[in-house]
Amino acid sequence: MKIFLAVIFLFHMSQGALDSTWWKYTNLYEVFVPAFKDGNGDGMGDIKGLISKLDHFVELGIETVYLTPIYPSPMADSGYDITDFTAIHPSMGTMKDFDTLMRETKARGIKVVLDMVVNHSSDEHPWFIKSVNKTEPYTDYYIWKNPKGFDKKGKPIPPNNWLNQFDGTAWRWNKKRKQFYMHQFTSEQPDFNLRNPRVINEMKKIFNFWLRKGVAGFRLDAVKHLVEDDQFRDEPAISEKVDMYNTTNVNDLKHIYTHNLWESYQIVHELRMVCEKFVNRSADFERILITEDYVTGDMLYRYYDTKDYKIAQLPLNFILDYIDRYVNATVYDEMINEYLDGLPTGATPCWNSENHDKWRKALIFTEEYAFIFPTMTMLLPGVAYLYYGQEIGVTGSHIRSDLAVNKYADDFTQSSRDSYRLPMQWDDSLNSGFSNNRKTILPLTTNYWRINVKNQKQQKYSHYHMFKKMLKLRKTETIKHGDFKSYVISTWVFAFTRTLKGHESYVAIFNMGTDTEFVDLHNSIDSLPKSLVVEIASRNSGYKPGDKLSSSPKIPKILVLRPSATLVFSSDN
């Protein structure tokens, strides 16, 4: 018995203490895998290409990499239509490649998070094919309903007025089964019946498969869509002007029966417990769940853990995604503080400004805007969610419709979402170093010859070097644990401070407008140190790191802030 207890003791000693806080201060870097780096020469990004660029993350200071779907897929919706949840898309590599990726990232101290689609599969998934054929136990793996009736031409009428996210009814008739199946996204993406315990168990097996591979957690896609009303009631119109039975616009209905039902939160809880059990058995660091749900306020906060009920550690916050050119400093101040003030006790903020579903700011504003938002994201309290290319200020490009891969339009620009999923810009060579194939999955951004990693590494004060420095600042005690206070300096100038007693203070200031602003820092910001040093400066600011500024009241207009300029100061101790 003594020997047995000693072995147990040594086993736990060898594992070390569980790291349960790593995710609270991490940065999450999204890799849209098909567009990041081609490693096999077919014009599409893949796992080997990603492995070849891991040192890029190390040099920048990236700690956690989040991968968009890498699973087998017909690519009807950029890989979010999955045919096998425990395999690798042939164009992206093999499971052996993935295992190599996990070894290489671990050796570099980088964690990997996978995108996981729990809401639906591809209509080519074996489960769906078996469900069509009513092969048990798959008959009820998806949501099937009889028609409400038939029209005069004998055409089946959908069961209710529910709409999908893109182009009309959420129901598609299956001739073989002679029933409708539900799809909240494309018709190639049938929704799972997540009220079926067998389906939940399948998802748990999938989670365990990847956890055993060493992933650090999952980003759960489209969580607000997981469960629908079991009575299949029609959804009401947003106003009397809308015909709730004939509209095809998803925004015309109040989604009280298809979005954010309490059962959706319960499913996320069940999946979180899979991660918890895995950690309790063998892991040396906590695994995380990140939820994607474009909601704000209470609906968002409910996805956070409570004292007695674990759900997700990091519900993504998208308030900075919806910013347009006319949002002034007061609105920034109100949005940021409302979000922070509403967070549950102990919750970790999580900021996102660009991703594969939302336009790049520079694409619809100006090139200078590409610096404003990652600066905010990285220096506000909490976790910074970053998108590939933000480190060099990738702008994206509007592309011709005949070159688009994804046929569904962005909700703001009304052009293909491919516009902000273009190949990563590594250098100024053919295809910007993304691929040696003549043709790439999508065309290059038109300014790749100028905006690329190689060029910016050679420029002392480039976007790349400022981005890298911000990631370094995130490791300071002030940014990790310091107080936050925001300021509306003028209609278009927004600023905030990060302070911590006994440590260096930081001031971030942004000109969101189109005019030059003259800012009296001394009269604008409380308890400002007498002398400030520029730590971070956007290329258009007119300043550079190391410049010193005095906040003496004898100099009433000490800061000239150019349009769309960003500056970060530190206290000169």
Side-chain angles (χ1 to χ4, degrees):
M1 177 62 74
K2 290 181 179 179
I3 294 175
F4 177 72
L5 292 174
V7 169
I8 293 177
F9 175 76
L10 289 172
F11 172 75
H12 285 289
M13 288 292 289
S14 66
Q15 283 204 312
L18 175 69
D19 184 355
S20 60
T21 62
W22 66 270
W23 53 269
K24 292 186 176 183
Y25 314 109
T26 195
N27 49 68
L28 282 162
Y29 181 105
E30 177 184 345
V31 175
F32 189 74
V33 182
F36 194 67
K37 174 62 179 175
D38 175 15
N40 62 11
D42 66 354
M44 179 177 177
D46 50 44
I47 295 173
K48 284 185 177 179
L50 175 58
I51 292 170
S52 73
K53 291 297 182 181
L54 290 181
D55 288 340
H56 173 69
F57 301 136
V58 175
E59 291 168 12
L60 273 177
I62 298 299
E63 299 164 342
T64 306
V65 174
Y66 145 58
L67 307 182
T68 56
I70 55 175
Y71 320 104
S73 167
M75 292 289 176
D77 186 20
S78 302
Y80 285 86
D81 49 317
I82 298 167
T83 57
D84 188 340
F85 287 83
T86 56
I88 304 296
H89 193 297
S91 293
M92 295 190 195
T94 65
M95 192 60 74
K96 184 178 179 180
D97 294 333
F98 183 81
D99 291 338
T100 300
L101 173 67
M102 296 307 298
R103 286 196 303 272
E104 294 296 324
T105 51
K106 184 176 182 180
R108 290 167 172 81
I110 298 171
K111 291 181 171 63
V112 175
V113 169
L114 294 185
D115 212 336
M116 185 55 65
V117 185
V118 177
N119 182 69
H120 52 261
S121 74
S122 166
D123 61 352
E124 296 182 24
H125 195 293
W127 296 346
F128 185 73
I129 295 170
K130 291 176 181 178
S131 191
V132 169
N133 293 322
K134 294 188 178 181
T135 302
E136 294 299 344
Y138 304 99
T139 301
D140 295 321
Y141 267 40
Y142 297 84
I143 299 173
W144 296 96
K145 289 291 289 181
N146 291 325
K148 183 186 292 185
F150 296 86
D151 64 18
K152 294 179 180 179
K153 295 181 179 180
K155 183 179 179 181
I157 300 171
N160 58 30
N161 72 339
W162 294 355
L163 299 174
N164 72 63
Q165 298 301 298
F166 297 120
D167 56 5
T169 179
W171 298 96
R172 186 173 180 87
W173 180 252
N174 182 271
K175 292 181 180 179
K176 187 168 187 179
R177 180 155 164 161
K178 293 183 171 52
Q179 283 185 305
F180 283 99
Y181 67 84
M182 197 190 76
H183 60 96
Q184 293 206 59
F185 292 90
T186 73
S187 59
E188 296 92 344
Q189 295 167 286
D191 274 38
F192 284 122
N193 175 13
L194 292 171
R195 293 184 183 276
N196 184 341
R198 289 182 181 272
V199 180
I200 299 297
N201 286 334
E202 297 280 11
M203 292 301 158
K204 290 178 179 180
K205 292 176 186 177
I206 292 165
F207 267 47
N208 274 313
F209 175 87
W210 292 108
L211 288 170
R212 287 193 295 269
K213 290 283 183 182
V215 301
F218 305 94
R219 170 198 175 272
L220 298 186
D221 182 69
V223 291
K224 72 180 178 183
H225 300 280
L226 296 182
V227 180
E228 300 77 32
D229 177 49
D230 59 1
Q231 297 181 49
F232 296 91
R233 288 171 283 190
D234 288 322
E235 294 195 312
I238 59 170
S239 72
E240 294 179 355
K241 297 179 181 179
V242 174
D243 183 345
M244 61 184 279
Y245 295 109
N246 290 308
T247 182
T248 59
N249 186 340
V250 69
N251 296 317
D252 284 344
L253 301 179
K254 296 179 182 178
H255 302 294
I256 59 175
Y257 298 129
T258 57
H259 291 183
N260 289 307
L261 273 66
W262 175 244
E263 291 91 339
S264 294
Y265 296 90
Q266 290 178 307
I267 288 170
V268 178
H269 164 73
E270 286 196 53
L271 296 174
R272 170 67 182 281
M273 296 314 293
V274 175
C275 297
E276 293 292 304
K277 290 176 181 177
F278 178 83
V279 169
N280 291 338
R281 286 197 305 268
S282 60
D284 55 355
F285 63 91
E286 185 174 354
R287 267 48 175 184
I288 60 170
L289 283 192
I290 304 163
T291 55
E292 183 236 20
D293 188 351
Y294 284 86
V295 294
T296 58
D298 287 343
M299 299 302 287
L300 175 64
Y301 301 143
R302 288 176 190 171
Y303 281 105
Y304 275 104
D305 286 350
T306 67
K307 182 179 179 182
D308 302 314
Y309 199 73
K310 291 182 181 293
I311 305 181
Q313 293 101 322
L314 294 174
L316 287 174
N317 157 36
F318 294 104
I319 59 172
L320 296 179
D321 276 24
Y322 288 102
I323 296 297
D324 63 39
R325 196 71 168 95
Y326 307 103
V327 171
N328 61 31
T330 298
V331 177
Y332 279 100
D333 184 69
E334 291 174 348
M335 286 194 312
I336 291 171
N337 281 290
E338 182 179 354
Y339 167 72
L340 290 173
D341 291 344
L343 285 170
T345 302
T348 299
C350 186
W351 306 94
N352 176 278
S353 63
E354 291 183 7
N355 61 66
H356 67 272
D357 276 333
K358 292 296 172 183
W359 30 267
R360 293 189 184 271
K361 298 297 186 295
L363 183 60
I364 57 170
F365 299 153
T366 64
E367 199 171 291
E368 289 74 22
Y369 257 69
F371 195 79
I372 289 175
F373 290 93
T375 305
M376 278 194 186
T377 301
M378 285 193 272
L379 299 184
L380 286 167
V383 169
Y385 182 112
L386 309 165
Y387 190 41
Y388 82 101
Q390 278 192 298
E391 64 265 44
I392 55 173
V394 164
T395 62
S397 296
H398 294 290
I399 62 174
R400 300 198 321 253
S401 58
D402 61 305
L403 295 177
V405 173
N406 192 292
K407 62 183 178 180
Y408 297 100
D410 172 85
D411 58 1
F412 189 89
T413 64
Q414 297 305 308
S415 61
S416 170
R417 292 186 292 173
D418 292 333
S419 296
Y420 35 82
R421 301 174 179 181
L422 304 184
M424 179 62 178
Q425 296 155 217
W426 296 106
D427 56 41
D428 57 4
S429 67
L430 178 66
N431 293 331
S432 197
F434 164 72
S435 175
N436 57 21
N437 197 327
R438 183 176 179 181
K439 184 175 177 58
T440 56
I441 184 173
L442 286 167
L444 275 292
T445 300
T446 54
N447 56 20
Y448 78 87
W449 58 274
R450 177 170 56 88
I451 299 178
N452 60 71
V453 174
K454 182 180 178 181
N455 284 355
Q456 291 200 9
K457 279 187 174 183
Q458 296 169 352
Q459 300 165 10
K460 187 175 181 180
Y461 301 116
S462 67
H463 190 124
Y464 172 88
H465 287 295
M466 295 298 99
F467 191 98
K468 181 178 179 179
K469 195 166 186 179
M470 281 189 284
L471 284 171
K472 189 174 182 180
L473 287 184
R474 283 185 55 79
K475 298 180 185 297
T476 65
E477 291 299 303
T478 302
I479 301 301
K480 287 167 67 175
H481 304 292
D483 293 332
F484 165 84
K485 187 172 183 180
S486 60
Y487 299 85
V488 177
I489 292 179
S490 71
T491 301
W492 295 103
V493 177
F494 175 70
F496 61 79
T497 57
R498 300 300 311 279
T499 57
L500 184 65
K501 188 176 180 180
H503 296 271
E504 199 167 38
S505 299
Y506 298 97
V507 180
I509 186 166
F510 311 88
N511 183 358
M512 305 297 185
T514 56
D515 294 324
T516 298
E517 296 271 352
F518 298 89
V519 178
D520 181 350
L521 288 179
H522 180 79
N523 289 330
S524 302
I525 296 177
D526 299 337
S527 305
L528 200 65
K530 290 184 178 180
S531 184
L532 295 172
V533 177
V534 175
E535 287 282 347
I536 309 290
S538 59
R539 289 289 298 273
N540 63 316
S541 69
Y543 297 87
K544 62 182 184 297
D547 286 348
K548 292 188 177 183
L549 297 173
S550 171
S551 61
S552 167
K554 293 180 181 180
I555 308 174
K557 306 294 182 186
I558 67 168
L559 184 62
V560 179
L561 202 59
R562 292 176 179 174
S564 302
T566 299
L567 288 170
V568 179
F569 300 95
S570 63
S571 53
D572 184 20
N573 295 330

